[in-house]
Amino acid sequence: MYIALVENYRMNINYIAELKLPSKSAYAIHVMKICEAFKFKYRNLNLYIFKKNKHINIFKKYNIKNKFNIIDFNLNNFNFLNRVIFSIKILKLKNSIKDIKSNIIISRSIIGALFMAFFKYKVILELHHELYGLTKYIFEISKRFNFFKKIKFIFITKNLSKKFKLTNDYIILDDAISLKDFKEKKSQKKKKSCVYTGSLAKGKGLENIFEISKYNKKIYYDIYGDFANSNFNKTSFKDFKNVNYKGYVEYRKIPKILSKYKVALMPYSKKVYVRAKNVETSKYMSPLKLFDYMASKNIIIASKMQVYSHLLNKKNSIIINNNSAKFWSKKIEYALKNYKKLDNLKENAYKKVKNYTWEKRVTEIIKFVND
């Protein structure tokens, strides 16, 4: 039945996300891009979120060409009570999920997914990190009830799936990329500069870049990102003359920015945090910036981490298993001087990332639904 509906372009996609839009988070980029990919294939897509700024063109900010329906409930805080209210409001909508005979419900909201399953709807719940606090407690209790069997799972990494130890059906899907965003973004390359884009939260690499920058004053480090859950702020840069904070930029501008650089950095620490406080993701992350770097054909210099070893290797990047800032500095200098000689790294990275598009991710999700 599901297969026939998909083939006839009649499937209704309902995506639930605990978001306020626009947002600076990678979470928001993921949701907007996966919804666009679904919309390219299927006629009806509803994205349910906490709140949106009605005076801003949300689709433009994320370079979304194929628009979809965004339904918000003017909820401001991401506390437990609002998560419950959010779920109830979705169920109460006149033209909501309950009135659609043929549908896929995908949720990034754990409470939302549990609500849907309780009311006997089949749900795909996507998880990107461990659970904490009251949500974790409710999730563990829910596993004891039959309605939990209505839920299938998507995990962002294999390590995360092992952490949950579920008997439910699940698949593992990395983050992805929209290659069309990176086409025809040719620019004059900066000769003595490298780039970092994305979150500046603890462990993401800014602290390491400051240390690396001390060893070669002639190399410049351009940083694009925001300071949510960071140990630093704008004034932190005053003592590092060759580290330039360029500010936060909208995701739609990232392809153009990356096209100006030869080398892109991912100098992660042993523990890596996200915008949410105390959420440590070094063993579970699938960094969006990694896919951006690969699509931009930058030379990628990255910390050696098992979590993305299936994506990065010595054939498509420079992997550093050494926390020495001096060693990092030498590798960056080498990459800038030998940019042309390292063409094979850039091309191999681009070939690899072609297997990780949002469209292919959608195809895998639909196959999973139909199993």
Side-chain angles (χ1 to χ4, degrees):
M1 178 181 176
Y2 270 134
I3 295 174
L5 289 167
V6 169
E7 290 175 348
N8 288 310
Y9 192 60
R10 295 199 302 269
M11 186 69 77
N12 298 288
I13 310 296
N14 298 279
Y15 202 107
I16 301 168
E18 293 175 354
L19 271 177
K20 290 191 289 184
L21 291 174
S23 166
K24 296 178 180 179
S25 68
Y27 179 3
I29 297 167
H30 177 105
V31 169
M32 292 298 288
K33 288 298 187 182
I34 196 71
C35 285
E36 181 186 34
F38 269 116
K39 182 62 176 176
F40 275 122
K41 289 196 173 189
Y42 307 114
R43 181 177 58 196
N44 299 314
L45 188 142
N46 295 314
L47 170 61
Y48 302 90
I49 63 170
F50 269 49
K51 186 176 182 178
K52 68 178 177 181
N53 188 326
K54 295 175 174 59
H55 303 291
I56 292 176
N57 187 334
I58 303 296
F59 298 107
K60 184 178 179 181
K61 281 190 172 289
Y62 296 95
N63 198 24
I64 302 298
K65 304 298 183 185
N66 203 10
K67 298 178 182 179
F68 43 85
N69 192 28
I70 300 177
I71 301 166
D72 78 301
F73 302 100
N74 201 32
L75 296 169
N76 277 305
N77 299 315
F78 296 114
N79 55 41
F80 181 78
L81 177 60
N82 274 353
R83 286 180 164 95
V84 173
I85 292 171
F86 178 54
S87 304
I88 293 171
K89 283 180 175 290
I90 293 171
L91 284 169
K92 284 187 173 182
L93 283 176
K94 289 183 179 179
N95 296 316
S96 71
I97 294 168
K98 65 182 180 179
D99 297 316
I100 299 171
K101 293 181 180 179
S102 59
N103 66 79
I104 297 176
I105 303 171
I106 302 172
S107 181
R108 288 287 302 272
S109 165
I110 294 155
I111 300 302
L114 294 176
F115 257 81
M116 298 301 152
F118 179 79
F119 286 98
K120 299 182 179 180
Y121 294 103
K122 293 180 180 180
V123 186
I124 308 293
L125 174 59
E126 179 156 346
L127 295 170
H128 286 210
H129 55 74
E130 293 184 66
L131 306 186
Y132 299 89
L134 184 58
T135 300
K136 180 179 180 179
Y137 178 77
I138 291 172
F139 185 87
E140 292 299 323
I141 293 295
S142 299
K143 287 164 69 174
R144 302 169 185 263
F145 296 92
N146 281 337
F147 72 85
F148 200 82
K149 294 179 181 179
K150 293 284 185 181
I151 304 175
K152 289 186 174 185
F153 290 84
I154 299 172
F155 292 105
I156 195 72
T157 62
K158 187 176 181 179
N159 285 349
L160 188 60
S161 69
K162 291 178 180 178
K163 185 71 179 178
F164 276 80
K165 300 177 182 178
L166 295 174
T167 58
N168 300 59
D169 289 341
Y170 70 86
I171 55 171
I172 298 160
L173 293 174
D174 284 279
D175 255 320
I177 193 70
S178 178
L179 291 176
K180 63 181 174 61
D181 291 347
F182 291 83
K183 288 183 178 179
E184 298 179 3
K185 297 290 188 281
K186 295 180 180 180
S187 299
Q188 184 69 34
K189 301 288 185 183
K190 296 187 177 185
K191 293 181 179 180
K192 295 183 179 181
S193 298
C194 47
V195 66
Y196 173 93
T197 63
S199 170
L200 303 177
K202 293 181 289 185
K204 288 293 182 80
L206 182 56
E207 56 269 58
N208 296 325
I209 290 172
F210 282 144
E211 291 302 311
I212 294 165
S213 71
K214 295 176 182 178
Y215 288 93
N216 195 326
K217 302 293 184 180
K218 294 181 181 180
I219 294 176
Y220 295 91
Y221 301 81
D222 292 347
I223 311 298
Y224 298 83
D226 75 285
F227 293 104
N229 195 22
S230 177
N231 291 325
F232 304 101
N233 54 43
K234 290 181 182 179
T235 61
S236 304
F237 290 78
K238 65 181 180 180
D239 295 326
F240 302 92
K241 302 302 180 184
N242 57 331
V243 185
N244 306 308
Y245 180 58
K246 299 288 189 176
Y248 167 79
V249 295
E250 295 172 4
Y251 184 71
R252 66 186 177 91
K253 297 179 181 179
I254 292 297
K256 184 66 175 178
I257 287 168
L258 290 177
S259 71
K260 298 176 182 179
Y261 296 88
K262 297 178 179 180
V263 174
L265 305 177
M266 294 203 311
Y268 288 117
S269 298
K270 289 184 178 179
K271 290 188 175 182
V272 181
Y273 294 85
V274 294
R275 293 170 61 84
K277 291 184 178 179
N278 302 318
V279 179
E280 202 276 310
T281 63
S282 59
K283 295 179 181 178
Y284 316 121
M285 64 182 182
S286 180
L288 268 174
K289 72 165 65 63
L290 170 55
F291 299 92
D292 294 338
Y293 290 175
M294 295 171 82
S296 297
K297 296 186 179 181
N298 298 116
I299 296 173
I300 302 167
I301 306 181
S303 300
K304 184 176 182 179
M305 300 190 78
Q306 185 273 335
V307 72
Y308 52 63
S309 60
H310 61 296
L311 295 166
L312 290 187
N313 54 59
K314 63 182 180 180
K315 293 182 179 180
N316 62 21
S317 56
I318 297 174
I319 305 295
I320 298 183
N321 186 22
N322 190 326
N323 290 327
S324 165
K326 186 176 181 179
F327 186 79
W328 265 86
S329 177
K330 287 181 178 180
K331 287 295 183 181
I332 292 168
E333 186 176 1
Y334 170 79
L336 288 169
K337 286 182 178 179
N338 296 278
Y339 179 72
K340 292 292 184 182
K341 291 182 181 179
L342 298 174
D343 270 348
N344 62 311
L345 296 183
K346 296 175 285 180
E347 293 301 325
N348 288 340
Y350 188 74
K351 287 178 183 177
K352 184 74 172 179
V353 84
K354 284 182 178 180
N355 296 316
Y356 293 89
T357 64
W358 294 113
E359 292 77 16
K360 289 185 178 182
R361 200 176 196 275
V362 163
T363 299
E364 291 300 316
I365 293 171
I366 297 301
K367 285 180 182 178
F368 182 49
V369 169
N370 292 333
D371 285 343

